[in-house]
Amino acid sequence: MKQSIAVLITCHNRKAKTLACLDALYNANLPDNSEMDVFLVDDGSTDGTYEAIKSMFSDVNLIKGSGNLFWAGGMRLAWETALKNNDFNYFLLLNDDVILFPDYFSNIQLIINTPNSDNSLYSAATIDQETNEITYGALKVKRKYPFPKYEKLYPNGQLQECDMTNANILLVSCKITKTIGILDSRYTHGIADYDYSLRARKAGFSAYLLPKVHGFCSDDHGNNWAPS
């Protein structure tokens, strides 16, 4: 039986990065027992992103946003659309500025083939292509009181349990989605991914950082496409 994966992406006015993300995604090594459908929300781009995706990646389920969705709203719309289209085993939340490494799907397949793997979220770390520094991935709570303190986790060759995850590359099982739903509508842009992992853990699920880095992504979030 094939594992079906819905890849969820949203974008706004960074055509070159979005196209590079899709190119890397479609060139990744998808195992024979897996299949993916891509659901991408273009949130009111004015730089030709929508037209370019439609022309170059005809397999993408392309959805027009209002221009006021921002990241969290766009991802919710992509997720809602995917849920209406098929009974997917997994949902892969992917930022449109991530260059996914070719071995991501083959490596994640080894994990999701293990018993009870659908009880966990799996975040993959990204690095800056120029500095090789870890940019996104997962955090571990070091102290809760009197003020919370977190530390960034670094891939060490093993699965590492974490408390909060980024959703630059985040795999969510159907089981988790059916239990806690999708990203909370209270969040417009950022923080929604941290909240989701915390909600999953509160519901009894686990969250892990994958053993190795799985993509390039610069730490430039917040420079554009944020609510004023």
Side-chain angles (χ1 to χ4, degrees), residues 64-85:
K64 278 191 175 181
S66 63
N68 297 304
L69 294 174
F70 302 102
W71 180 82
M75 293 300 282
R76 281 194 295 270
L77 180 55
W79 211 331
E80 290 164 353
T81 305
L83 286 167
K84 292 176 183 176
N85 274 264

Side-chain angles (χ1 to χ4, degrees), residues 21-42:
C21 171
L22 289 171
D23 185 63
L25 174 64
Y26 278 105
N27 279 290
N29 301 320
L30 194 66
D32 292 337
N33 64 338
S34 297
E35 56 187 8
M36 74 173 182
D37 286 309
V38 180
F39 295 84
L40 189 150
V41 171
D42 178 83

Side-chain angles (χ1 to χ4, degrees), residues 6-225:
V7 182
L8 313 177
I9 308 173
T10 189
C11 68
H12 174 76
N13 277 350
R14 46 185 187 186
K15 179 171 67 174
K17 287 188 176 183
T18 303
L19 295 178
C21 171
L22 289 171
D23 185 63
L25 174 64
Y26 278 105
N27 279 290
N29 301 320
L30 194 66
D32 292 337
N33 64 338
S34 297
E35 56 187 8
M36 74 173 182
D37 286 309
V38 180
F39 295 84
L40 189 150
V41 171
D42 178 83
D43 191 30
S45 292
T46 57
D47 63 349
T49 298
Y50 185 93
E51 294 76 13
I53 294 171
K54 194 172 183 180
S55 173
M56 299 172 63
F57 298 96
S58 58
D59 288 341
V60 170
N61 296 285
L62 193 52
I63 308 145
K64 278 191 175 181
S66 63
N68 297 304
L69 294 174
F70 302 102
W71 180 82
M75 293 300 282
R76 281 194 295 270
L77 180 55
W79 211 331
E80 290 164 353
T81 305
L83 286 167
K84 292 176 183 176
N85 274 264
N86 200 353
D87 291 325
F88 291 99
N89 301 115
Y90 288 91
F91 301 91
L92 174 61
L93 282 64
L94 184 68
N95 265 31
D96 76 311
D97 58 348
V98 168
I99 301 299
L100 194 68
F101 291 174
D103 62 353
Y104 171 76
F105 289 109
S106 54
N107 284 334
I108 198 69
Q109 189 69 40
L110 297 174
I111 293 171
I112 64 178
N113 281 342
T114 60
N116 301 315
S117 61
D118 58 352
N119 286 324
S120 302
L121 299 170
Y122 298 98
S123 178
T126 60
I127 58 171
D128 186 283
Q129 197 162 2
E130 295 182 359
T131 66
N132 283 330
E133 293 182 357
I134 297 292
T135 49
Y136 298 98
L139 299 174
K140 188 79 174 175
V141 175
K142 294 298 290 182
R143 183 184 67 205
K144 291 185 178 181
Y145 304 104
F147 303 105
K149 182 178 181 181
Y150 306 93
E151 71 170 2
K152 183 185 293 185
L153 292 180
Y154 295 85
N156 64 2
Q158 299 178 339
L159 280 175
Q160 296 181 76
E161 193 162 6
C162 57
D163 295 301
M164 297 192 301
T165 66
N166 293 122
N168 297 62
I169 308 174
L170 181 65
L171 192 74
V172 181
S173 70
C174 175
K175 182 176 181 179
I176 294 176
T177 302
K178 286 182 176 179
T179 303
I180 69 169
I182 62 176
L183 298 176
D184 196 305
S185 60
R186 292 175 296 177
Y187 297 95
T188 303
H189 195 62
I191 312 301
D193 48 0
Y194 285 163
D195 172 75
Y196 195 80
S197 51
L198 289 171
R199 284 167 50 208
R201 286 175 51 79
K202 187 176 181 179
F205 297 103
S206 300
Y208 290 98
L209 179 69
L210 294 181
K212 57 178 289 187
V213 172
H214 279 291
F216 290 122
C217 186
S218 298
D219 186 0
D220 63 354
H221 294 182
N223 293 339
N224 53 33
W225 193 27

